[in-house]
């Protein structure tokens, strides 16, 4: 009961901004199929779900009309359905690669991400990777003289992007992996789908 009350509390907070539409990740996620460098979310393989996970999921679907993703995951559904009049409600920083209104579900604050900020956030992810989802990042070329060069951090990625472009990032992938497929794979894993774009390459050409 307490778990349900907690969920309803957050739903009420979201409802203050307007009608609420919920998305949950389904079993069919293309990212599992295309990940060859490292298993997508492979670091979670032996971790148990939270105690009330199944019950809360069923509650959201049966009583709150939550929609389950079919090919991607909930993040993709949020990206595809984001418009100038909607808010993405989440605590996941990955979703900050989507431009528009955002609502932080812990701080209960709103923010607006411009197209430029969203693209920069995505480029930072291409450098840093995503340890939560087991997506590797890149070695920092400025530290190449180290015996074990460190990966990019948030701070060093932001610094690198001050005078480098996506083409430079592509070259880093080519240098470190020896093939162009590595960039395509990692960018596809990190890229959250939009209404008009389902992959990073098409999105980047438009951008």
């Amino acid at each position: 009961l307490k778990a349900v009350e907690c969920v309803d509390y957050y739903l009420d907070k979201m409802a203050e901004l307007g009608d609420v539409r919920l998305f949950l990740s389904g079993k069919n996620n293309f990212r599992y199929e295309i990940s060859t460098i490292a298993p997508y979310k492979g670091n979670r393989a032996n971790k148990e779900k939270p105690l009330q996970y199944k019950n809360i999921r069923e509650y959201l679907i049966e009583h709150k009309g939550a929609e389950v993703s079919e090919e991607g995951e909930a993040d993709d559904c949020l990206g595809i359905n984001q418009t100038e009049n909607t808010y993405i409600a989440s605590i996941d920083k990955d979703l900050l690669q989507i431009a528009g209104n955002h609502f932080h579900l812990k701080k209960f604050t709103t923010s607006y991400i411009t197209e430029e900020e969203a693209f920069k956030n995505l480029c930072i992810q291409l450098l840093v990777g995503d340890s939560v989802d087991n997506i590797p990042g890149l070695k920092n070329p400025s530290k190449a003289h180290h015996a074990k060069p460190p990966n990019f951090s948030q701070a060093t990625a932001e610094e690198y992007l001050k005078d480098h472009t996506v083409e430079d990032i592509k070259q880093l992938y080519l240098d470190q992996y020896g093939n162009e497929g590595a960039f395509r794979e990692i960018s596809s894993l990190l890229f959250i789908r939009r209404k008009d774009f389902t992959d990073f390459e098409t999105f980047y050409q438009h951008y």
Side-chain angles (χ1 to χ4, degrees):
L1 181 60
K2 288 184 177 181
V4 169
E5 291 176 348
C6 183
V7 169
D8 286 342
Y9 172 76
Y10 284 100
L11 291 177
D12 288 342
K13 285 291 185 181
M14 288 188 280
E16 293 176 7
L17 296 171
D19 294 336
V20 176
R21 191 175 178 187
L22 301 173
F23 297 102
L24 301 174
S25 293
K27 295 181 179 180
N28 299 321
N29 186 346
F30 70 92
R31 293 177 177 83
Y32 291 106
E33 299 175 4
I34 67 171
S35 57
T36 63
I37 296 172
Y40 183 63
K41 295 186 178 180
N43 51 349
R44 306 187 196 181
N46 298 317
K47 291 185 178 180
E48 293 185 3
K49 296 288 187 182
L51 185 62
Q52 294 293 333
Y53 174 83
K54 183 178 179 181
N55 292 335
I56 293 300
R57 186 179 175 88
E58 290 177 353
Y59 173 73
L60 290 174
I61 294 172
E62 294 176 8
H63 299 282
K64 298 299 179 178
E67 302 168 53
V68 180
S69 64
E70 295 183 359
E71 295 181 358
E73 53 192 34
D75 287 3
D76 297 305
C77 295
L78 290 169
I80 290 169
N81 287 280
Q82 175 78 318
T83 71
E84 61 181 14
N85 299 316
T86 60
Y87 285 82
I88 289 179
S90 176
I91 60 171
D92 189 350
K93 63 178 179 57
D94 297 347
L95 285 158
L96 298 181
Q97 63 169 271
I98 303 295
N101 297 303
H102 289 258
F103 178 62
H104 197 286
L105 275 175
K106 277 190 175 179
K107 301 176 182 177
F108 301 135
T109 56
T110 61
S111 61
Y112 183 83
I113 303 296
T114 66
E115 291 284 354
E116 183 178 353
E117 291 169 334
F119 189 71
K120 178 184 175 182
N121 290 335
L122 176 55
C123 288
I124 289 173
Q125 285 187 287
L126 289 170
L127 293 168
V128 176
D130 189 337
S131 59
V132 174
D133 289 339
N134 204 39
I135 302 174
L138 289 169
K139 301 294 183 184
N140 187 342
S142 68
K143 308 292 183 180
H145 59 283
H146 290 211
K148 291 184 178 181
N151 283 8
F152 276 99
S153 65
Q154 178 79 17
T156 56
E158 290 183 6
E159 186 66 27
Y160 179 85
L161 289 172
K162 289 180 180 180
D163 52 10
H164 292 84
T165 67
V166 171
E167 295 304 318
D168 295 316
I169 298 176
K170 285 184 176 182
Q171 186 61 47
L172 288 181
Y173 274 91
L174 184 60
D175 293 343
Q176 292 190 28
Y177 286 96
N179 63 79
E180 297 179 351
F183 178 80
R184 286 195 297 270
E185 177 178 325
I186 298 300
S187 64
S188 295
L189 292 172
L190 291 169
F191 182 74
I192 296 174
R193 293 177 169 182
R194 279 78 162 162
K195 180 179 180 181
D196 299 316
F197 304 102
T198 59
D199 64 273
F200 176 80
E201 290 291 343
T202 306
F203 171 75
Y204 172 56
Q205 290 172 11
H206 171 81
Y207 188 89

